[in-house]
């Protein structure tokens, strides 16, 4: 479809969602500390499969809040300890800069992205002690989280309305970490996340479908000798577009751990393998501004509907804003 794409579908007004393709840290899944790199239901964004054919810069800011639990006396690996149940609150502030490169009007276009996350987290749990005793304890952390960057996002346009984006996202363990703490502003591992995203626009029905699938690959936490198993994630969003910049729809997402975690603590918990599902509504708004700029806003609520060995949250909220210029 070289040279045939419509600027309305692939131009500045529709690239904003891609800014978040490499912008979302996780905070509530199986793996060590009941933390992972993605929050179910929050990784998919509007127009996530589109990389625009013209060069541009995208600056975005997101706020993500989650309040979840692993109830009862279910054992959870936290650092070098085993907690009996877990109650965690997490708030992420995410600042992202994305650059769409000048690669011409061909079927392939390319971009790069960098995200600086700040996290506040509070964790409460009962920690197992000697002779079968346990004690209630809590911990709070507030600091810069692990750095997140995407060296390359490759977008392919099947047609004016069907698009795909491929990316390799990398987490670096730049945050502070203490193996004896319940709350940490870092996972203390490198994480490599290949992703494929899709955007389908259906003008006749005024519907749009966005989806993103990922595979999280973790290195070992050298401080605790704990290695998280790979996790497959899938988020899908369907919206009705009302023609005045407003869109409304539903998001469904899942995280599925592939295999068992490894290490001394994981072995005591039979690998701590888990999965979850989330479902909830989303509202979006796009507006063209002066001087060839555009603004995109979104708000969603994606509570957990099913969870095994992951934080079960009815309070997962996310708001985002992106400026394209």
């Amino acid at each position: 479809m070289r040279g045939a794409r419509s600027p309305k579908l692939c131009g500045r007004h529709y690239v904003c969602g891609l800014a978040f393709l490499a912008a979302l840290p996780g905070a509530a899944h199986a793996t060590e500390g009941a933390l992972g790199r993605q929050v179910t239901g929050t990784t998919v964004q509007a127009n996530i499969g589109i990389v625009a054919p013209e060069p541009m810069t995208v600056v975005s800011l997101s706020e993500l809040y989650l309040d979840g639990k692993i109830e009862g006396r279910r054992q959870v690996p936290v650092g070098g300890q085993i907690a009996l149940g877990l109650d965690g609150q997490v708030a992420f502030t995410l600042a992202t800069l994305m650059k769409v490169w000048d690669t011409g009007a061909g079927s392939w276009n390319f971009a790069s992205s960098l995200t600086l996350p700040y996290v506040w987290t509070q964790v409460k749990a009962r920690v197992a002690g000697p002779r079968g005793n346990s004690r209630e304890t809590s911990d709070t952390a507030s600091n810069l989280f692990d750095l997140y960057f995407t060296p390359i996002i490759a977008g392919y346009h099947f047609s004016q309305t069907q698009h795909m984006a491929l990316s390799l996202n990398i987490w670096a363990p730049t945050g502070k970490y203490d193996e004896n703490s319940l709350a940490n502003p870092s996972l203390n591992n490198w994480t490599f996340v290949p992703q494929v995203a899709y955007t389908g626009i259906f003008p006749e029905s005024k519907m749009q479908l966005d989806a993103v699938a990922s595979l999280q690959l973790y290195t070992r936490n050298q401080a605790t000798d704990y290695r998280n198993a790979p996790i497959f994630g899938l988020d899908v969003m369907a919206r009705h577009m009302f023609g005045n910049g407003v869109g409304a729809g539903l998001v469904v997402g899942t995280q599925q751990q592939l295999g068992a975690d490894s290490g001394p603590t994981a072995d005591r918990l039979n690998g701590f393998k888990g999965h979850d599902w989330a479902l909830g509504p989303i509202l979006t708004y796009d507006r063209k501004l002066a001087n060839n700029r555009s603004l995109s806003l979104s708000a969603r609520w994606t509570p957990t509907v099913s969870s095994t060995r992951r934080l079960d949250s009815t309070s997962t909220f996310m708001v985002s804003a992106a400026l394209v210029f």
Side-chain angles (χ1 to χ4, degrees), residues 3 37 60-61 95 107-108 119 162 176 179 181 208 221 224 262 269 280 294 299:
R37 291 300 193 187
S60 64
L61 186 66
S107 295
W108 286 96
V119 64
Q162 304 294 313
K176 293 182 179 180
E179 62 182 287
S181 297
Q208 180 166 328
N221 182 343
T224 62
S262 61
L269 301 177
S294 65

Side-chain angles (χ1 to χ4, degrees), residues 203-239:
E204 298 82 2
S205 60
K206 297 183 179 179
M207 294 295 296
Q208 180 166 328
L209 182 68
D210 296 280
V212 57
S214 65
L215 183 65
Q216 302 166 50
L217 304 172
Y218 295 84
T219 63
R220 187 174 298 275
N221 182 343
Q222 298 297 331
T224 62
D225 196 25
Y226 196 106
R227 183 164 187 168
N228 302 321
I231 298 177
F232 171 77
L234 176 66
D235 278 2
V236 179
M237 173 173 63
R239 292 179 299 148

Side-chain angles (χ1 to χ4, degrees), residues 149-295:
F149 61 98
T150 305
I152 188 68
I153 305 168
Y156 184 79
H157 311 284
F158 298 100
S159 69
Q160 294 181 354
T161 57
Q162 304 294 313
H163 311 271
M164 177 185 70
L166 307 173
S167 65
L168 175 62
N169 312 297
I170 301 172
W171 292 87
T174 57
K176 293 182 179 180
Y177 183 81
D178 180 355
E179 62 182 287
N180 297 314
S181 297
L182 288 178
N184 270 300
S186 172
L187 296 192
N188 199 41
N189 58 46
W190 287 85
T191 310
F192 302 92
V193 188
Q195 288 189 164
V196 56
Y198 165 80
T199 292
I201 302 169
F202 306 94
E204 298 82 2
S205 60
K206 297 183 179 179
M207 294 295 296
Q208 180 166 328
L209 182 68
D210 296 280
V212 57
S214 65
L215 183 65
Q216 302 166 50
L217 304 172
Y218 295 84
T219 63
R220 187 174 298 275
N221 182 343
Q222 298 297 331
T224 62
D225 196 25
Y226 196 106
R227 183 164 187 168
N228 302 321
I231 298 177
F232 171 77
L234 176 66
D235 278 2
V236 179
M237 173 173 63
R239 292 179 299 148
H240 180 78
M241 312 305 295
F242 291 96
N244 55 0
V246 176
L250 286 174
V251 176
V252 59
T254 184
Q255 297 282 312
Q256 300 286 331
Q257 187 168 328
L258 309 178
D261 295 343
S262 61
T265 304
D267 293 343
R268 292 167 60 189
L269 301 177
N270 297 318
F272 199 62
K273 183 179 178 180
H275 61 270
D276 67 358
W277 288 86
L279 174 68
I282 185 169
L283 289 173
T284 62
Y285 178 70
D286 297 297
R287 181 179 178 83
K288 291 183 178 179
L289 306 176
N291 300 320
N292 206 25
R293 299 177 181 177
S294 65
L295 176 68

Side-chain angles (χ1 to χ4, degrees), residues 41 251 279-283 299-304 313-318:
V251 176
L279 174 68
I282 185 169
L283 289 173
R300 74 183 69 191
W301 171 51
T302 52
T304 304
S313 170
T314 59
S315 303
T316 302
F317 300 97
M318 182 178 178

